Amino acid sequence: MAADHSTPDPHGAARPDQAGAAPDPATVAAGLTVGVLGGTGDQGRGLARRLGLAGNRVIIGSRNPARAVAAAASVGSPPQVTGASNEDAARGSDVVIAAVPWEGHRDLLAQLAAALDGKILIDCVNPLAFDSRGAYPIRVEEGSAAEQAAQVLPGSTVVGAFHHVSAVLLLDPEVAEVDLDVMVRGDDRQATDLVQALAERIPGARGIYAGRLRNCAQVEALTANLVSINRRYKSHAGLRITDI
Amino acid sequence: MAADHSTPDPHGAARPDQAGAAPDPATVAAGLTVGVLGGTGDQGRGLARRLGLAGNRVIIGSRNPARAVAAAASVGSPPQVTGASNEDAARGSDVVIAAVPWEGHRDLLAQLAAALDGKILIDCVNPLAFDSRGAYPIRVEEGSAAEQAAQVLPGSTVVGAFHHVSAVLLLDPEVAEVDLDVMVRGDDRQATDLVQALAERIPGARGIYAGRLRNCAQVEALTANLVSINRRYKSHAGLRITDI
């Protein structure tokens, strides 16, 4: 189980010193190369754009490397943001965001298990279906998309995050800052600390620890409620956690 | 299904006029007598206290009417807040909040089906379990507590709301205003509009429409994440919806 893995150190320069002091997550996050699997979709491109603007190197992955290169060009310029196959994006990155459609989620991650071994996999996939009445959650056998990822990636540390971040706002050049908290869930404290710090590289976002992997399903499914809210209020709704 | 019921008009004085204009939900909400089933628990007492302070008449219900009377005395004074049996609270109220423990949820509501007929039942029950690692959601056969309520109360209009409202803050005399949005879900527009208006009688709260009954499970379950957040940050976390 991912809970028992020590977090991989994605950045040699920030390795703990001899006394064992933990590296500062914000410093480590600043130096990460971030892969975005399925990064040609709006959510993936939006995250790639904001992390690239923040100064991270980003590798957009796609089944079709040419499409990944085009997506990268649409949100940044090399070497800051580049495109590659999903496998090369996974291999070349320190941490990897899965922003793939739910339908191909399990198979793609299973194929990339070796490339993702020892890395943090950030899952932001929402298992949702749509009909005339709007969005609703799909029941997932493993509990949630994130738990499915943990099951097919026994050598990776899976963290759930970025589910409620509006792709429209991430991609909008008029939007300098978003107004939302990123609920980060996982069983490994060092990994969730790092993903919180990575979330905070997006201007306006705050990374909040919000529970273990077993509490991912409802966060993924809550995206259906945000879809309902957006329909009713013509908004790009996000969440803020109060009293912290 | 609750979706096909017209909303009961809980307050004769605010009945639509001959031209069929809908009554203002805030005006209707101000005149409601609110029953709180299982109102001797912290959540029920907290809601009773705030709604009583706002000027609503509130009837706290309990299996044990003497305990309900004592709970009422702890949060208000008669005739503003009174105590009764669950059945008398249901019969004597215009809208009824179910704030009962999950364990007895289905049986209690089934027993009260006649008393709740034609009324709005607001379900705020969180089907959660706890272990040493914190809270986690219980899978509910009907999908969610609110959908279970709708199934056993075919003559009532069920609305989900008030899941993320901290009982501690509701009961704290030092807290003049809460800082949160109440996510209101249901299949009947007039009912959700009214419950949104009722939520806004709690100072600081905003009532937000957040989807249909089929999207209740994740809102109920998200309370487990708020428990995790509260443990980590020593907070009484609530949610705000941004961009609306």
Side-chain angles (χ1 to χ4, degrees), chain A residues 7 48 140 147 149 155 194 212 238:
Chain A
T7 305
V140 179
E147 288 162 290
L194 184 61
R212 292 172 179 271

Side-chain angles (χ1 to χ4, degrees), chain A residues 63 100-113 116 142 148-149 152-153:
Chain A
R63 286 188 208 182
V100 298
W102 167 242
E103 291 65 36
H105 180 261
R106 184 211 291 257
D107 288 350
L108 177 70
L109 293 182
Q111 287 162 22
L112 298 178
L116 294 168
E142 295 86 351
Q148 183 182 86
V152 300
L153 300 173

Side-chain angles (χ1 to χ4, degrees), chain A residues 209-210 225 233 236 238 240 242-243, chain B residues 209-210 225 236 238 240 242-243:
Chain A
Y209 173 76
N225 299 83
Y233 298 96
H236 300 295
R240 284 285 192 197
T242 60
D243 198 41
Chain B
Y209 172 77
N225 299 83
H236 300 294
R240 284 286 190 196
T242 59
D243 198 42

Side-chain angles (χ1 to χ4, degrees), chain A residues 25-227:
Chain A
T27 307
V28 180
L32 294 175
T33 295
V34 181
V36 186
L37 307 178
T40 58
D42 284 346
Q43 190 71 8
R45 284 198 310 127
L47 290 169
R49 174 173 181 271
R50 294 287 171 172
L51 292 172
L53 286 171
N56 287 91
R57 285 195 58 194
V58 181
I59 308 175
I60 289 181
S62 171
R63 286 188 208 182
N64 179 339
R67 287 193 60 215
V69 170
S74 77
V75 296
S77 39
Q80 201 66 24
V81 184
T82 54
S85 69
N86 279 320
E87 173 139 10
D88 286 346
R91 289 205 185 276
S93 300
D94 301 311
V95 305
V96 179
I97 298 173
V100 298
W102 167 242
E103 291 65 36
H105 180 261
R106 184 211 291 257
D107 288 350
L108 177 70
L109 293 182
Q111 287 162 22
L112 298 178
L116 294 168
D117 192 61
K119 300 190 178 185
I120 293 172
L121 185 283
I122 304 171
D123 203 295
C124 69
V125 173
N126 298 308
L128 297 182
F130 291 80
D131 63 17
S132 62
R133 298 186 301 157
Y136 59 96
I138 296 171
R139 187 160 284 190
V140 179
E141 193 189 323
E142 295 86 351
S144 61
E147 288 162 290
Q148 183 182 86
Q151 213 169 93
V152 300
L153 300 173
S156 306
T157 302
V158 174
V159 173
F162 298 116
H163 289 85
H164 304 147
V165 183
S166 160
V168 173
L169 299 182
L170 292 176
L171 287 168
D172 187 342
E174 304 287 311
V175 174
E177 292 204 358
V178 297
D179 179 12
L180 54 84
D181 292 337
V182 174
M183 295 176 77
V184 176
R185 294 91 55 207
D187 295 336
D188 181 300
R189 175 69 185 259
Q190 215 177 327
T192 55
D193 282 354
L194 184 61
V195 175
Q196 286 176 246
L198 187 65
E200 297 192 349
R201 296 184 61 74
I202 300 174
R206 191 170 59 150
I208 304 289
Y209 173 76
R212 292 172 179 271
L213 277 192
R214 67 174 179 175
N215 279 320
C216 275
Q218 56 268 23
V219 178
E220 298 170 2
L222 197 74
T223 305
N225 299 83
L226 296 181
V227 171

